[in-house]
Amino acid sequence: DAGVTQSPTHLIKTRGQHVTLRCSPISGHKSVSWYQQVLGQGPQFIFQYYEKEERGRGNFPDRFSARQFPNYSSELNVNALLLGDSALYLCASGRWAQYFGPGTRLTVT
Amino acid sequence: ELKVEQNPLFLSMQEGKNYTIYCNYSTTSDRLYWYRQDPGKSLESLFVLLSNGAVKQEGRLMASLDTKARLSTLHITAAVHDLSATYFCAVDDTNFGNEKLTFGTGTRLTIIP
């Protein structure tokens, strides 16, 4: 079985642009969580979705949004990118986020 | 707000030695996780501890949980170079109402030959 997949692997954007990150959970998992990991720090919770509904939101501005599709894959959208949004974005599959994907490394210049 | 603290933040140890990483958290929780992260990589789940007194072991790593003290430890026995990585503990914030993990700051472990 495939694990959690994320795309793209790496991304470079300019300040003010918009970005969409994608995640496919492990087959059969209905929950997806998103975390942001800034270099040198632990991951920070952004969103959790379960059965296509938002179950929780962390302390992130409204520039961050997400959604979950009927096949349980998910998108994370970030508008008006700031330099501080540069980070590794991790998607976790399943309840209690036990299985993490490889991440998308976003660099904002 | 749940806070999770790890110490030490950095640990350099010789091969063959034993050491312990500590994880303290500030509020009641039912679940505690340990993860390993290699440079530039994602998180690898090591242990899930679900109850007071839980102890789990895998190879040279052993994790334990004391929910009354709000403390978990990750013990490394006879360290080998392959264990060099950053280790995170994470606590399920049950007060949040869903499955939100709050992570510690991580312990960067370097094993010296």
Side-chain angles (χ1 to χ4, degrees):
Chain A
D1 281 343
V4 182
T5 60
Q6 290 186 245
S7 63
T9 305
H10 296 88
L11 202 53
I12 300 175
K13 291 285 190 178
T14 304
R15 279 176 295 177
Q17 286 188 316
H18 163 270
V19 68
T20 297
L21 310 180
R22 296 177 175 83
C23 170
S24 292
I26 292 170
S27 177
H29 286 187
K30 299 178 181 179
S31 175
V32 169
S33 302
W34 287 95
Y35 287 79
Q36 180 197 64
Q37 186 179 23
V38 173
L39 191 63
Q41 298 182 17
Q44 298 282 323
F45 174 80
I46 310 176
F47 286 108
Q48 186 198 22
Y49 276 78
Y50 180 76
E51 287 277 21
K52 294 163 285 183
E53 291 191 0
E54 182 181 305
R55 290 283 300 275
R57 182 188 183 109
N59 188 23
F60 281 80
D62 291 343
R63 300 185 296 108
F64 288 76
S65 63
R67 55 179 175 169
Q68 187 176 32
F69 298 99
N71 66 353
Y72 304 113
S73 66
S74 177
E75 282 183 355
L76 175 69
N77 295 284
V78 187
N79 293 324
L81 285 166
L82 303 174
L83 293 179
D85 295 331
S86 295
L88 180 66
Y89 288 85
L90 296 164
C91 170
S93 172
R95 298 191 72 185
W96 301 289
Q98 196 169 349
Y99 304 98
F100 280 85
T104 294
R105 184 160 300 281
L106 172 65
T107 302
V108 182
T109 62
Chain B
E1 180 185 345
L2 172 62
K3 294 192 183 301
V4 181
E5 294 183 349
Q6 284 181 241
N7 68 83
L9 298 183
F10 298 93
L11 177 57
S12 182
M13 53 190 293
Q14 287 186 315
E15 279 189 327
K17 300 291 187 182
N18 304 333
Y19 210 82
T20 301
I21 299 171
Y22 298 88
C23 174
N24 291 90
Y25 54 99
S26 60
T27 64
T28 303
S29 175
D30 296 334
R31 294 172 178 264
L32 188 136
Y33 301 74
W34 284 97
Y35 293 90
R36 168 182 172 145
Q37 187 174 40
D38 292 302
K41 303 295 186 182
S42 186
L43 297 170
E44 174 189 355
S45 178
L46 295 174
F47 301 109
V48 182
L49 303 170
L50 301 178
S51 60
N52 187 42
V55 177
K56 290 196 173 181
Q57 183 165 3
E58 180 73 33
R60 300 175 187 274
L61 301 178
M62 183 174 71
S64 65
L65 178 62
D66 181 345
T67 58
K68 294 180 181 178
R70 298 175 186 166
L71 170 69
S72 180
T73 60
L74 180 66
H75 187 73
I76 302 154
T77 302
V80 293
H81 180 69
D82 286 352
L83 292 179
S84 295
T86 298
Y87 292 85
F88 291 96
C89 65
V91 178
D92 180 23
D93 190 349
T94 54
N95 293 320
F96 196 72
N98 62 24
E99 295 89 30
K100 169 192 174 186
L101 293 183
T102 299
F103 282 79
T105 49
T107 296
R108 183 176 296 180
L109 174 64
T110 302
I111 308 298
I112 302 169

